[in-house]
Amino acid sequence: MTTTPAHIVVTGAAGKAGRAAVADLLEHGYQVLATDLPAAPDGIDTAYLRADLTDHGQVVDVLAGADAVVHLANIPAPGLRPAARTLTENTTMNAHVFLAAQTLGLRKVVWASSETTLGLAFGPDAPPRYAPVDEDHYPYPESTYALSKVLSETMAEHISTWSGIPFVGLRFSNIFTDEDYRRVPTFQDDVTARMWNLWGYIDVRDAAASCRNALEADTTGSVNVIIAGDDTIMERPSAELLSEVFPDVEVRGDLTEHQTLLSNARARRLIGFIPRHGWRRGVPA
């Protein structure tokens, strides 16, 4: 890709990450069409179109005229809908967006994959194979939500090959807003409360910036990267957390004090992702 796309469609624009991605793209001079199934939330300062992405015709209409898509629409977690519905709706939405991008000749597809493809939820009976976990710790779906993302990464790989369109899958960690940060003090007395994703998180502003990073990066084919902060959500050092909860897990490399256990090294290298926000800068009152 020789030039950065200028006209972007953001799906899932009513969600936590979607609202932030729309705002970030507008701030950086992009033309944005926001779309989602619910009515436009407060604060969306651009054209907004309500559409059902499980209907392929609506997807084609939404993406017509766009240079690229930031596709964030999906059932966002396991347990919110029946398991079969989560699997079928997520894979259907993703397939429709990916195939419409091919039909319309979009220049890039950036989309929300998930940290759950790596084996979450971790626990004493289901530890990671090693830590920090990186992109090679894949695929280990433990829910139909995670499976929908694994299947969609496979779809992205093949449709990218067929079409020549670069795809970037963002394996988002648990997204935190200022409101979410208010809960951080409650995590500190129970080391197991957040072990399920190795105490990882990503600030919503950094999640939004990673979408723009992916649009602007000169990538080819289909690539998938972990989007996590540089630190954990815990006050205790990372090595101490692993030693207590996952004492038999191989630790690869030397851990700095609060180093993330969900490696973002590939995202830094491939799309220029640099986390700039986090809870250690202060929890809102």
Side-chain angles (χ1 to χ4, degrees):
M1 186 176 63
T2 56
T3 58
T4 300
H7 178 195
I8 313 299
V9 171
V10 177
T11 75
K16 183 188 295 188
R19 295 193 303 271
V22 168
D24 180 88
L25 289 168
L26 290 172
E27 181 182 342
H28 287 84
Y30 287 87
Q31 179 184 352
V32 178
L33 171 64
T35 184
D36 209 328
L37 194 57
D42 293 339
I44 293 285
D45 191 23
T46 192
Y48 187 93
L49 185 63
R50 296 182 69 177
D52 181 356
L53 302 188
T54 64
D55 180 331
H56 185 65
Q58 293 186 47
V59 176
V60 173
D61 283 349
V62 166
L63 295 185
D67 293 321
V69 61
V70 173
H71 172 45
L72 306 176
N74 262 188
I75 296 170
L80 300 178
R81 300 287 190 276
R85 180 178 172 186
T86 299
L87 177 64
T88 56
E89 288 200 10
N90 281 0
T91 52
T92 296
M93 283 187 272
N94 295 342
H96 287 174
V97 170
F98 297 172
L99 291 169
Q102 178 186 19
T103 299
L104 297 168
L106 268 60
R107 287 157 48 193
K108 197 150 204 178
V109 175
V110 175
W111 67 284
S113 187
S114 170
E115 64 182 359
T116 62
T117 62
L118 305 171
L120 283 61
F122 297 124
D125 296 327
R129 291 178 292 129
Y130 58 85
V133 164
D134 59 17
E135 285 80 3
D136 292 333
H137 203 283
Y138 169 92
Y140 284 90
E142 297 289 345
S143 65
T144 60
Y145 169 78
L147 181 58
S148 76
K149 300 297 188 176
V150 170
L151 294 173
S152 297
E153 288 193 13
T154 301
M155 288 193 295
E157 179 181 357
H158 291 292
I159 295 171
S160 175
T161 298
W162 299 342
S163 65
I165 298 171
F167 279 63
V168 180
L170 303 173
R171 292 174 179 162
F172 288 118
S173 187
N174 192 200
I175 297 174
F176 272 62
T177 63
D178 285 347
E179 182 66 28
D180 296 314
Y181 285 135
R182 295 188 177 95
R183 297 186 290 118
V184 170
T186 69
F187 304 150
Q188 304 308 318
D189 291 338
D190 182 2
V191 72
T192 66
R194 300 283 306 182
M195 67 182 175
W196 58 273
N197 76 337
L198 298 183
W199 308 277
Y201 77 106
I202 183 66
D203 187 282
V204 69
R205 293 160 291 189
D206 289 328
S210 74
C211 297
R212 176 170 43 83
N213 295 154
L215 286 171
E216 296 173 351
D218 188 9
T219 62
T220 59
S222 179
V223 298
N224 304 292
V225 294
I226 296 170
I227 301 298
D230 282 335
D231 61 344
T232 72
I233 205 71
M234 302 295 285
E235 294 173 352
R236 295 171 63 179
S238 298
E240 186 177 312
L241 295 171
L242 285 175
S243 177
E244 179 171 337
V245 181
F246 300 113
D248 298 323
V249 168
E250 174 191 359
V251 177
R252 296 186 175 179
D254 296 325
L255 294 177
T256 57
E257 189 174 11
H258 297 108
Q259 178 183 327
T260 178
L261 297 171
L262 297 171
S263 174
N264 58 33
R266 183 179 293 183
R268 286 175 171 271
R269 184 174 71 255
L270 291 184
I271 67 170
F273 169 66
I274 301 175
R276 302 186 186 279
H277 305 277
W279 75 276
R280 293 179 206 281
R281 291 170 174 80
V283 176

